[in-house]
Amino acid sequence: MEFSIKSGSPEKQRSACVVVGVFEPRKLTLAAELLDNAAHNHISDIVRRGDMEGKAGSTLLLHNVPGTLCDRVLLVGLGKEKEFGDKEFGDAIRSAVKTLNETGAFDGTVFLTETSVRKRTCAWRVRQAAIVAQETVYRFDQFKSKKDKVRRPLRKLTFIVDRRNELAAAEEALKQGQAIAEGMSLAKDLGNLPPNVCNPAHLAETARELANEHKIDCQIIERDEMADLGMHSLLAVARGSHQPPKLIVLHYRGGKADDKPVVLVGKGITFDTG
């Protein structure tokens, strides 16, 4: 999915769908109020009639809202304003993206990233929105003979920030969010692969590809070297398979020369935990 950052007013967005929030009970966020003013109370009239209470996770899709340049307006329930925190923000983004992906909106302009979250910055909201959005549309259908097809899948999301001086920090946060989301998707892909495909050799090759792409050092320790190093416990477990074991070591040297190293140790389980 393609992501971007911008600042602007909701009624001026030329988009397949503009996404704004509604708190419970029936309280419009600032972006929703701006849309409502442009639409001469069209949205508040709908909300007053009870079509949208603002309950967390609820959505209401509106077409042809007067006074706007977008094709649709999506109202997303945010729950109670005083209780709107990390989880509620993530749930709101998830509900919005799921609805956009199911309604044929090719792109969406999301004003939920303007909504204040307790003890969180604008950069945090943007980073988290990118992670949750990518996670919501993730599918693993590599081995399906008939893949589920979305009629017009969501291709682009634009996250809105309130002030122009927040754009630089938001852009950097978006890059971080996309990187985290891509890492999560790769981990899910590897976990979803069957063991006859995702064996130690496959993991090692994936590590090499990552290392080449991101210019980091990759070392694959083979069976003979493991024996020389006295790694008998690992070798004992590996005897239960005809697939040779691989010990993958990735070195990322992005810090200062005198920084203490951070070491992460993982267990790449390809068949049985033992």
Side-chain angles (χ1 to χ4, degrees):
M1 187 186 300
E2 180 184 346
F3 295 99
S4 62
I5 299 288
K6 68 184 297 188
S7 177
S9 191
E11 74 278 7
K12 297 179 181 179
Q13 304 304 313
R14 294 185 181 275
S15 172
C17 189
V18 167
V19 182
V20 294
V22 179
F23 285 111
E24 191 177 5
R26 307 178 190 179
K27 180 183 177 182
L28 302 181
T29 56
L30 176 59
E33 285 184 356
L34 292 173
L35 279 178
D36 189 47
N37 292 338
H40 302 291
N41 302 322
H42 179 79
I43 295 174
S44 56
D45 286 345
I46 291 174
V47 170
R48 258 195 308 272
R49 289 197 295 265
D51 294 78
M52 164 59 77
E53 292 286 343
K55 291 183 178 180
S58 61
T59 59
L60 179 64
L61 189 65
L62 308 178
H63 292 265
N64 302 317
V65 176
T68 65
L69 300 178
C70 57
D71 298 332
R72 310 167 181 83
V73 170
L74 178 63
L75 304 181
V76 179
L78 305 179
K80 296 179 181 179
E81 188 171 8
K82 291 182 178 180
E83 298 175 0
F84 192 69
D86 294 8
K87 179 182 182 301
E88 290 74 19
F89 178 79
D91 290 344
I93 295 293
R94 191 173 292 106
S95 295
V97 173
K98 184 175 183 295
T99 302
L100 289 173
N101 200 44
E102 292 173 350
T103 54
F106 184 81
D107 67 279
T109 304
V110 181
F111 280 79
L112 300 179
T113 43
E114 283 189 339
T115 308
S116 178
V117 180
R118 292 192 310 272
K119 299 180 180 180
R120 296 298 188 182
T121 63
C122 172
W124 180 91
R125 296 194 299 267
V126 169
R127 181 168 54 248
Q128 198 65 18
I131 294 170
V132 173
Q134 196 66 54
E135 182 184 25
T136 303
V137 298
Y138 173 82
R139 296 290 183 274
F140 184 82
D141 55 7
Q142 183 175 334
F143 297 101
K144 282 189 174 182
S145 55
K146 292 184 179 180
K147 298 182 180 181
D148 299 329
K149 291 185 178 180
V150 179
R151 181 168 54 89
R152 289 187 65 196
L154 182 62
R155 297 293 186 190
K156 180 180 179 181
L157 280 180
T158 300
F159 298 130
I160 301 296
V161 297
D162 189 27
R163 295 183 291 273
R164 296 190 66 84
N165 61 5
E166 295 175 325
L167 285 171
E171 290 281 3
E172 181 60 29
L174 179 60
K175 292 178 183 177
Q176 295 171 1
Q178 287 180 275
I180 293 169
E182 288 174 9
M184 291 169 61
S185 295
L186 174 60
K188 289 179 180 180
D189 285 346
L190 292 172
N192 286 322
L193 286 170
N196 63 319
V197 174
C198 188
N199 51 36
H202 180 86
L203 279 181
E205 183 56 34
T206 301
R208 288 193 185 96
E209 291 173 358
L210 278 174
N212 290 334
E213 180 181 355
H214 298 287
K215 295 180 174 58
I216 59 179
D217 297 335
C218 178
Q219 179 186 9
I220 308 298
I221 299 177
E222 304 288 352
R223 190 196 300 270
D224 291 344
E225 189 176 354
M226 292 181 200
D228 293 339
L229 292 170
M231 303 173 65
H232 304 301
S233 294
L234 193 154
L235 291 171
V237 174
R239 290 192 186 100
S241 171
H242 72 276
Q243 294 285 346
K246 308 281 184 180
L247 184 67
I248 303 165
V249 184
L250 295 171
H251 293 276
Y252 172 70
R253 296 182 174 86
K256 298 178 182 177
D258 57 349
D259 284 348
K260 293 182 178 180
V262 176
V263 181
L264 304 177
V265 181
K267 186 178 182 182
I269 301 166
T270 58
F271 183 68
D272 188 8
T273 60

